[in-house]
């Protein structure tokens, strides 16, 4: 034993002290600024005569087809492995390897891990252990600390447990740095740190039939046993790189946005950033404020919607201080909004309960068929995209740059983004858009990026190339009954789960917010909430029944997977683009990044009342 592990004399449980200190005080930043220019905070009207007619549909198709097969990504292998180093914390706290047993082992200490601990401990499950790859809590908000990072869902709804914490976010869209601090305060307040092994990556999770336990192995030499394993390892945690010829030759500094290197002083430097997705859209305006020259290499433009950031008002603080349950009620209202853009705009009057509905419900003379409904949605998405394109023209002065910044795909088909400073940044003389459509950057050499024979020499190259969806090793290394891995099962049968939370042949295992896992809204922490409640319900049910092992029945899993497939097929026209949501256009129906149906709660409630989908063993 060393100082990192001690025994609590009251409970007999191990208490950990493995949280690593922050690597440097230079790691700090802010999110969206509050702007006064009203023009930047409003979408232009839909241009007259905007109809998603055959000509526009053909244009969308061309845009998509030109990019087919262009997305070639790779993991951080070989010399790129260094991009995965934890640059945010001091080195790991030394500790002995653990070979003992706990009741519940959770992988991940993001909001998933934090909310699970809150619910589990409240319900009396305290023999719970967390393994986290990073040096501290926060997950997404631990790893992503690029300048400009902020929450895209309004923070009064996104941050869970605000009343319990007595906290009000400073801004409507809080910065990632504020969210990380909130996670740390949450962990402190609810005693999470005592239960977490930081700088501990789970390498393998194997079901042992004889003992009815999972054997969990980590990169710290641990071989722990647990009756239950909960994967709360997130879906966007493994960064990926675009595979570009010659990338290993670059002699300047380089890093991925999810490991921002604050030791490099970017002031006055010539900087290139590859990728223009949600991260880049937030980082570019901040980079533009400090670098000498900025080259933004774009393959596909994002839809850049209005942000309209604001600070929390004194009036709101005063009202909420006297309104118990204000945040829970707000989260509940947020979860009722079914249209993505409406959710993200986050109408304050509706969310505060001052008005009942945001839009007048539309009444049709007869019930529309599913196809007609999809067409209506496509038409309205087209009108939104027309506004988004008109915004580009209204803001960006150079017509060639403006043309390149206009996206042609259904709204919401790729991750929508929001910013009021991104488009104006391209009017600055030192910010250059390099349009590499439709195939992307083709070459990197020792000095910088080369595109169509033009070399762009760079001091620093930043990869804003996103994440491997579901790419964490955990999914690949869960071995269930009969020695079969979850990866093998899903590769041969397609994604097969019940509620996204269970997979047949993997007893006593829960997957939080994994594939096919619905129950949430556009607010991710909402799904985490629903899944955490479900996990607690199942554990309590098993306790009551005296059951030691549970699995889902194959038939129930198949019925649910069929439902997910049918939903994906029905909504396919809304996702007619190349995106990580649809596996770059290759995902089979039922295997998309997110569950698209609205029936998760129906399936859950039915299962909880009949218990039919479950097989319990004593
Ligand atoms: C840049 C960015 C911005 C986002 N913005 C929003 C937003 O505005 N609104 C919204 O609703 N959602 C947003 N999301 C989604 C966000 O991921 C969720 O909101 C939420 O934070 C997910 O929490 P989680 O705990 O499920 O996963 P994560 O936060 O990803 O945490 C999972 C943790 O598991 C750890 N882990 C993974 N594998 C292992 C392993 N094998 N062993 C040990 N530990 C492991 C990881 O290190 C990580 O810390 C954003 C995501 C990203 C990447």
């Amino acid at each position: 034993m060393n100082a990192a592990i001690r025994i609590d004399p009251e409970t007999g449980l191990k208490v950990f002290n493995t949280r690593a200190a922050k690597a440097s005080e230079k790691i700090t930043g802010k999110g969206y600024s509050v702007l006064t220019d009203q023009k930047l905070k409003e979408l232009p009207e839909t241009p007259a005569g905007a109809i998603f007619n055959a000509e526009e549909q053909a244009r969308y198709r061309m845009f998509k087809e030109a990019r087919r097969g262009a997305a070639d990504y790779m993991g951080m292998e070989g010399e790129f492995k260094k991009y995965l180093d934890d640059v945010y914390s001091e080195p790991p706290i030394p500790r002995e390897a653990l070979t003992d047993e706990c009741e519940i082992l959770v992988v991940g200490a993001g909001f998933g891990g934090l909310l699970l601990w809150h619910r589990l401990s409240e319900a009396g499950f305290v023999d719970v252990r967390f393994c986290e790859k990073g040096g501290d809590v926060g997950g997404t908000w631990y790893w992503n600390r690029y300048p400009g990072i902020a929450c895209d869902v309004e923070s009064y709804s996104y941050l869970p447990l605000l009343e319990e914490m007595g906290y009000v976010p400073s801004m409507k869209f809080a910065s990632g740095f504020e969210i990380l601090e909130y996670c740390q305060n949450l962990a402190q307040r609810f005693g999470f740190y005592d239960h977490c092994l930081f700088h501990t990556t789970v390498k393998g999770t194997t079901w042992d039939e004889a003992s009815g336990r999972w054997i969990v192995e980590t990169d710290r030499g641990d071989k722990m046993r647990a009756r239950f394993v909960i994967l709360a390892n997130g879906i966007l945690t493994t960064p990926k790189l675009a595979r570009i010829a010659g990338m290993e030759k670059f002699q300047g500094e380089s890093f991925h946005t999810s490991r921002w290197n604050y030791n490099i002083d970017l002031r006055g430097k010539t900087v290139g950033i590859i990728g223009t997705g949600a991260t880049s859209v937030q980082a570019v305006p901040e980079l533009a404020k400090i670098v000498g020259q900025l080259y933004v290499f774009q393959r596909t433009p994002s839809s850049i919607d209005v942000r309209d950031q604001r600070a929390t008002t004194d009036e709101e603080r005063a009202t909420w201080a006297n309104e118990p349950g204000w945040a829970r009620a707000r989260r509940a209202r947020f979860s009722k909004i079914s249209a993505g853009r409406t959710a993200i705009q986050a109408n304050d009057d509706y969310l505060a309960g001052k008005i009942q509905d945001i839009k007048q419900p539309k009444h049709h003379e007869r019930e529309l068929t599913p196809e007609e409904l999809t067409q209506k949605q496509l038409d309205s998405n087209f009108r939104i995209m027309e506004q988004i394109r008109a915004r580009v023209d209204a803001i960006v002065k150079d017509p060639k740059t403006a043309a390149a910044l206009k996206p042609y795909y259904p709204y919401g088909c790729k991750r929508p983004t929001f910013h009021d400073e991104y488009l104006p940044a391209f009017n600055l003389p030192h910010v250059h858009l390099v349009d590499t459509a439709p195939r992307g950057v083709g070459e990197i050499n020792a000095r910088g990026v080369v595109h169509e024979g033009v070399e762009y020499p760079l001091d620093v190259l930043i990869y804003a190339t996103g994440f491997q969806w579901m790419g964490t090793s955990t999914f690949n290394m869960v071995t269930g009954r009969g020695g079969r891995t979850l990866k093998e099962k899903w590769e041969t049968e397609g994604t097969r789960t019940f509620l996204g939370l269970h997979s047949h042949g993997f007893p006593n295992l829960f997957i939080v917010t994994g594939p096919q896992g619905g129950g949430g809204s556009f607010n991710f922490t909402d799904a985490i909430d629903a899944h955490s409640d479900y996990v607690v319900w199942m554990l309590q049910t098993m306790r009551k029944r005296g059951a030691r092992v549970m699995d889902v029945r194959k038939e129930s899993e198949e019925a649910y997977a069929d439902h997910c497939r049918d939903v994906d097929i029905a909504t396919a026209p809304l996702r007619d683009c190349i995106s990580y949501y649809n596996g770059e256009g290759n995902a089979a129906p039922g295997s998309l990044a997110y569950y698209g149906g609205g029936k998760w709660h129906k399936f859950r409630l039915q299962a909880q009342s009949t218990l039919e989908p479950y097989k319990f063993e004593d």
Side-chain angles (χ1 to χ4, degrees):
M1 293 264 177
N2 64 21
I5 304 174
R6 65 179 174 83
I7 304 282
D8 180 332
E10 266 179 44
T11 61
L13 296 174
K14 291 201 171 81
V15 175
F16 306 126
N17 179 19
T18 61
R19 179 187 182 188
K22 189 172 167 183
S24 153
E25 286 314 312
K26 285 187 224 160
I27 307 171
T28 174
K30 60 184 183 65
Y32 299 118
S33 311
V34 179
L35 301 184
T36 49
D37 185 348
Q38 200 55 33
K39 281 205 304 296
L40 297 174
K41 303 203 285 183
E42 282 166 7
L43 266 193
E45 291 293 307
T46 308
I51 300 168
F52 197 32
N53 56 24
E55 197 183 319
E56 297 296 344
Q57 288 170 21
R59 185 169 195 173
Y60 273 40
R61 260 198 310 279
M62 253 174 56
F63 191 88
K64 174 187 167 185
E65 290 309 322
R67 283 162 174 80
R68 198 181 281 286
D72 184 12
Y73 293 109
M74 56 184 259
M76 310 290 190
E77 292 136 17
E79 63 206 277
F80 299 109
K81 227 172 159 188
K82 62 176 192 265
Y83 289 162
L84 289 178
D85 290 348
D86 181 358
V87 292
Y88 301 120
S89 292
E90 291 286 333
I93 306 279
R95 67 167 176 85
E96 67 188 21
L98 292 167
T99 52
D100 60 345
E101 178 167 333
C102 60
E103 186 181 15
I104 303 166
L105 190 141
V106 183
V107 186
F111 272 122
L114 290 166
L115 279 174
L116 275 162
W117 171 243
H118 181 258
R119 296 290 194 282
L120 287 167
S121 54
E122 213 177 34
F125 295 94
V126 289
D127 187 5
V128 189
R129 187 171 293 179
F130 296 79
C131 290
E132 167 55 53
K133 188 190 298 190
D136 205 338
V137 295
T140 290
W141 310 102
Y142 175 86
W143 293 114
N144 293 278
R145 302 200 215 178
Y146 53 83
I149 184 168
C151 184
D152 263 339
V153 162
E154 67 135 22
S155 30
Y156 316 124
S157 300
Y158 179 71
L159 294 185
L161 304 174
L162 284 175
E163 288 105 340
E164 288 81 347
M165 293 292 290
Y167 185 73
V168 175
S170 66
M171 311 294 285
K172 183 158 182 180
F173 301 98
S175 88
F177 293 88
E178 180 173 343
I179 298 174
L180 172 61
E181 204 178 312
Y182 183 73
C183 289
Q184 291 165 331
N185 291 337
L186 249 172
Q188 202 92 57
R189 170 77 176 271
F190 294 107
F192 179 90
Y193 283 118
D194 289 350
H195 292 260
C196 190
L197 295 167
F198 290 104
H199 280 142
T200 300
T201 300
V202 171
K203 290 289 190 194
T205 312
T206 308
W207 177 250
D208 177 40
E209 195 68 62
S211 63
R213 299 287 188 277
W214 286 99
I215 315 286
V216 180
E217 294 178 75
T218 77
D219 65 345
R220 300 290 293 270
D222 306 306
K223 197 167 181 183
M224 299 173 280
R225 295 177 336 127
R227 182 173 300 179
F228 299 97
V229 165
I230 309 176
L231 304 182
N233 50 300
I235 51 169
L236 296 171
T237 58
T238 306
K240 67 180 191 285
L241 291 174
R243 196 188 304 275
I244 301 170
M247 56 203 289
E248 69 290 348
K249 296 185 189 147
F250 183 61
Q251 293 297 308
E253 302 277 9
S254 60
F255 54 86
H256 185 276
T257 48
S258 72
R259 305 289 190 275
W260 198 271
N261 189 340
Y262 280 89
N263 288 325
I264 302 172
D265 185 356
L266 295 173
R267 279 174 298 181
K269 297 262 166 63
T270 300
V271 175
I273 183 163
I274 297 181
T276 51
T279 291
S280 186
V281 167
Q282 291 185 331
V284 160
E286 296 307 311
L287 284 171
K289 289 173 192 166
I290 56 164
V291 304
Q293 296 291 323
L294 181 62
Y295 291 91
V296 182
F297 297 96
Q298 173 189 277
R299 180 174 65 202
T300 302
S302 282
S303 60
I304 320 285
D305 207 330
V306 165
R307 180 64 306 165
D308 197 11
Q309 169 73 310
R310 66 171 178 78
T312 305
T313 63
D314 291 342
E315 192 194 336
E316 280 169 328
R317 283 182 195 281
T319 309
W320 292 336
N322 295 309
E323 198 181 302
W326 72 270
R328 243 186 309 280
R330 197 167 173 112
R331 269 165 81 77
R333 276 187 218 105
F334 191 101
S335 71
K336 290 212 181 86
I337 308 176
S338 59
R341 183 155 193 275
T342 317
I344 299 298
Q345 292 310 305
N347 180 303
D348 282 308
D349 285 344
Y350 169 73
L351 291 171
K354 291 182 190 160
I355 57 172
Q356 283 312 302
D357 221 329
I358 302 160
K359 284 198 267 181
Q360 289 294 334
K362 283 201 184 119
H363 295 290
H364 302 288
E365 278 173 16
R366 62 176 172 82
E367 205 175 319
L368 299 181
T369 63
E371 292 74 24
E372 285 170 327
L373 278 171
T374 303
Q375 191 54 48
K376 278 195 105 40
Q377 205 169 332
L378 277 172
D379 291 343
S380 96
N381 284 351
F382 177 74
R383 288 192 293 274
I384 295 172
M385 285 302 254
E386 283 285 88
Q387 291 178 275
I388 280 170
R389 290 187 279 266
R391 186 181 193 223
V392 178
D393 282 330
I395 295 176
V396 178
K397 295 199 177 108
D398 172 46
K400 197 166 154 229
T401 306
L405 284 165
K406 287 188 221 168
Y408 288 90
Y409 44 80
Y411 181 77
C413 185
K414 288 171 84 73
R415 163 74 152 79
T417 74
F418 308 85
H419 219 292
D420 299 338
E421 292 181 281
Y422 179 76
L423 294 172
F426 291 98
N427 292 332
L428 299 169
H430 67 289
V431 178
H432 318 277
L433 183 76
V434 184
D435 183 17
T436 66
R439 312 302 293 177
V441 167
E443 189 189 341
I444 294 176
N445 67 18
R447 287 173 299 280
V449 171
V450 182
H451 183 68
E452 290 181 342
V454 181
E455 184 183 86
Y456 299 87
L458 304 168
D459 299 318
V460 183
L461 177 56
I462 301 169
Y463 289 97
T465 42
F467 301 88
Q468 250 174 288
W469 175 69
M470 248 182 47
T472 91
S473 57
T474 328
F475 286 108
N476 302 343
M477 299 178 84
V478 181
T479 310
R481 284 186 157 146
R484 194 181 196 201
T485 67
L486 199 51
K487 184 171 190 248
E488 279 160 10
K489 174 176 171 176
W490 288 352
E491 271 175 7
T492 48
E493 295 178 19
T495 311
R496 285 270 181 282
T497 75
F498 183 65
L499 299 175
L501 279 147
H502 304 284
S503 198
H504 173 72
F506 298 83
N508 290 9
L509 178 82
F510 300 89
I511 307 168
V512 171
T513 64
Q516 302 183 342
S521 60
F522 295 93
N523 178 5
F524 213 90
T525 60
D526 203 27
I528 295 176
D529 247 349
H531 294 191
S532 304
D533 286 343
Y534 174 88
V535 169
V536 169
W537 167 81
M538 176 55 83
L539 294 177
Q540 284 173 329
T541 304
M542 288 178 74
R543 259 197 190 171
K544 271 188 227 138
R545 297 173 67 100
R548 295 159 65 83
V549 175
M550 66 79 49
D551 200 352
V552 277
R553 294 183 193 281
K554 204 163 179 0
E555 316 79 77
S556 305
E557 170 171 294
E558 271 164 15
Y560 183 72
D562 287 351
H563 159 69
C564 293
R565 186 203 54 210
D566 294 347
V567 168
D568 288 350
I569 291 170
T571 54
L574 301 172
R575 283 185 316 276
D576 197 12
C577 73
I578 310 267
S579 152
Y580 89 84
Y581 289 176
N582 61 17
E584 312 302 337
N586 299 320
S591 298
L592 301 187
Y594 300 110
Y595 168 79
K599 297 209 172 128
W600 187 87
H601 282 296
K602 198 170 159 209
F603 273 90
R604 173 184 64 80
L605 286 168
Q606 170 90 357
Q608 287 177 321
S609 69
T610 63
L611 297 185
E612 268 166 20
Y614 311 113
K615 189 160 179 281
F616 295 103
E617 295 164 34
D618 296 339

